[in-house]
């Protein structure tokens, strides 16, 4: 890109997609400022484990020059997948093809450690973005201050503050809820559950219900209880989610009749229960282009969590950065990026939506 001045680029959100964009730009000698509302990198846990696909997540890591760091932390054995019925009868066991697992926190750490000091401005919450007549955009921060940029990249997730500047689309509840819990030191403290889960992911399905268990590093297992119902199911049941015993009793009632080995995933857990209702953006999610603004990752194409979201976010960030480097103007870079990203994400979101319904038929 040839301009009279180096373009001022703001990336809103220090998730995987935003960091991938900033890293690839940095690799080409370009600068981006990343604004993250959380106060620090370790302000909260980063969730479970991710499988990195060769043509998306792994491609992005190679483009960023971080593939060796990824391989050092990845868990190829985590590709194992087991399927059970609700009686704990093993229906199938297989290994995915070249999709090694890595903890999300470890993957994010690889990107964070690779960026120049000062790239990320922690504790900077965005309240709004406004397109300006000269083709730039103005960021308004929660403290009332503003700053103008040639490009604002909305990488700020499901409830993006950047998205409303170019799209009226909002996430809709899918009708399916995940309730998360987990185990620590599973191999020594819960060996039966460790054997049931195996090295990777196990899923057990019954009529209208499911249970996922996923290996993470350090002997941890994340468990997700999956069921249909209103997003406010806990409130309707009169439950306080902080009351682990009460939530456990309610969930055990939902899974009544399931094999005792599977029910142990609900009643011997080391952590409490976290409600994670599943939302998705309309498919396809598109917008009228506005100079100086674009979206990536969940901000652009929030979809059910069936293994594609993080991979696509990293690919989005990588391709946007490459377009900024290769195209003569910011406007042409955004156009080139969106021309490829939008149809690709619509196809993926449709597949994930269908996959969620297949996973848990009505």
């Amino acid at each position: 890109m040839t301009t009279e001045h180096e373009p001022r680029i703001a990336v809103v959100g220090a998730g995987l997609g935003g960091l991938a964009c900033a890293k690839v730009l940095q690799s080409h000698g370009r600068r981006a400022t990343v604004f993250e509302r959380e106060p620090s990198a370790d302000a909260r846990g980063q969730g479970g484990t991710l499988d990195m696909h060769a043509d998306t997540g792994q491609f992005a890591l190679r483009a960023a020059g971080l593939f060796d760091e990824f391989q050092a932390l990845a868990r190829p054995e985590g590709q194992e997948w087991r399927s059970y019925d609700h009686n704990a009868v093993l229906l199938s066991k297989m290994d995915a093809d070249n999709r090694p697992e890595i903890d999300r926190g470890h993957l994010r750490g690889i990107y964070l450690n690779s960026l120049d000091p000062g790239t990320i401005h922690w504790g900077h919450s965005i309240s709004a973005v406004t397109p300006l007549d000269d083709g730039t955009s103005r960021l308004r921060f929660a403290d009332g201050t503003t700053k103008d940029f040639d490009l604002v990249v909305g990488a700020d997730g499901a409830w993006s503050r950047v998205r409303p500047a170019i799209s009226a689309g909002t996430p809709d509840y899918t009708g399916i809820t995940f309730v998360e819990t987990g185990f620590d030191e599973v191999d020594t403290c819960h060996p039966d559950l460790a054997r049931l889960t195996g090295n990777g992911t196990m899923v057990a399905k019954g009529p209208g219900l499911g249970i996922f268990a996923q290996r993470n590093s350090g002997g941890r297992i994340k468990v997700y209880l999956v069921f249909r119902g209103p997003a406010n199911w806990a409130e309707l049941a009169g439950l306080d989610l902080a009351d682990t015993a009460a939530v456990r009793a309610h969930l055990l009632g939902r899974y009544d009749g399931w094999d005792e080995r599977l029910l142990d995933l609900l009643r011997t857990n080391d952590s409490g229960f976290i409600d994670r209702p599943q939302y998705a953006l309309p498919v396809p999610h598109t917008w009228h282009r506005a100079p100086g603004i674009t979206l990536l990752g969940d901000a652009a194409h929030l979809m059910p969590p069936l293994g594609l979201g993080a991979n696509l976010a990293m690919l989005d960030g990588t391709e946007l950065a490459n377009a900024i480097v290769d195209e003569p103007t910011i406007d042409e870079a955004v156009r080139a990026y969106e021309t490829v990203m939008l149809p690709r994400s619509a196809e993926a979101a449709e597949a994930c939506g269908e996959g969620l319904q297949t996973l848990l038929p009505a």
Side-chain angles (χ1 to χ4, degrees), residues 311-334:
N311 282 275
L312 288 179
M314 292 163 64
L315 182 62
D316 290 350
T318 300
E319 291 188 343
L320 175 58
N322 283 333
I324 292 169
V325 171
D326 294 340
E327 298 295 332
T329 67
I330 286 287
D331 189 60
E332 288 170 284
V334 170

Side-chain angles (χ1 to χ4, degrees), residues 8 15 26 40-41 45 64 72 102 121 133 135 151 191 215 227 256 265 277 296 300 304 348:
R8 301 162 299 172
Q26 178 181 291
S40 66
I102 185 170
H121 292 211
D133 292 338
L151 176 64
R215 282 271 185 173
F227 53 86
D256 184 42
L265 292 165
L296 63 77

Side-chain angles (χ1 to χ4, degrees), residues 58-118:
Q58 292 183 47
F59 172 85
L61 287 159
R62 292 182 189 276
L66 299 174
F67 191 73
D68 288 346
E69 290 86 341
F70 161 71
Q71 284 193 304
L73 294 172
R75 293 176 284 104
E77 71 279 5
Q79 298 175 99
E80 182 185 86
W81 180 278
R82 299 183 179 193
S83 178
Y84 296 88
D85 66 14
H86 73 287
N87 293 313
V89 174
L90 182 64
L91 303 177
S92 63
K93 176 182 174 183
M94 62 181 182
D95 289 325
D97 183 22
N98 191 19
R99 295 182 178 182
E101 296 278 341
I102 185 170
D103 287 15
R104 181 186 288 268
H106 290 169
L107 183 58
R108 188 179 188 231
I110 290 172
Y111 276 110
L112 289 173
N113 293 335
S114 75
L115 292 171
D116 292 337

Side-chain angles (χ1 to χ4, degrees), residues 243-285:
D243 187 343
T244 299
V247 176
R248 178 181 291 121
H250 175 86
L251 292 172
L252 285 169
R254 280 182 178 264
Y255 286 81
D256 184 42
W258 281 51
D259 188 270
E260 295 298 313
R261 289 166 291 177
L262 295 169
L263 292 180
D264 279 344
L265 292 165
L266 288 72
R267 60 186 169 212
T268 62
N269 45 311
D270 295 319
S271 57
F273 296 97
I274 303 172
D275 187 28
R276 299 198 184 281
Q278 297 302 303
Y279 288 83
L281 280 165
V283 181
H285 177 234

